[in-house]
Amino acid sequence: MDVTDFPDDLVQTQAAWSATYDALAAPRPRDTAALRRRLLRLSVRLWWHPCWETASSVPMARYELRQLARARGAVRAA
């Protein structure tokens, strides 16, 4: 799977997952229960997204998705 093949909703969900994870990993996060619930909901959406049914190598595609979401997040932060 090429990185251009990822649907926008999947990339946005991965970016939200990463941001939530980072917020939870920060020192003394606020409202950890809400962050954990959000992380769980986002994890379910990522895991069961229909995109994975057509991916030739799901582990590699998941890795590429994480890299793409982080790169887009870094561009937006800059």
Side-chain angles (χ1 to χ4, degrees):
M1 174 175 279
D2 187 30
V3 293
T4 59
D5 293 342
F6 292 120
D8 285 337
D9 68 318
L10 184 60
V11 176
Q12 291 171 355
T13 302
Q14 179 64 54
W17 188 96
S18 296
T20 304
Y21 184 88
D22 291 344
L24 192 56
R28 296 188 178 123
R30 291 183 176 186
D31 204 2
T32 57
L35 288 171
R36 288 179 180 153
R37 284 191 301 269
R38 179 170 168 75
L39 196 63
L40 182 59
R41 280 192 308 271
L42 292 169
S43 295
V44 169
R45 279 193 222 160
L46 286 170
W47 187 262
W48 295 108
H49 195 280
C51 176
W52 305 125
E53 294 175 10
T54 60
S56 59
S57 173
V58 174
M60 188 59 186
R62 288 184 192 275
Y63 172 77
E64 290 175 1
L65 175 63
R66 285 191 302 273
Q67 298 297 356
L68 177 63
R70 287 178 197 254
R72 286 189 182 178
V75 167
R76 288 183 189 151

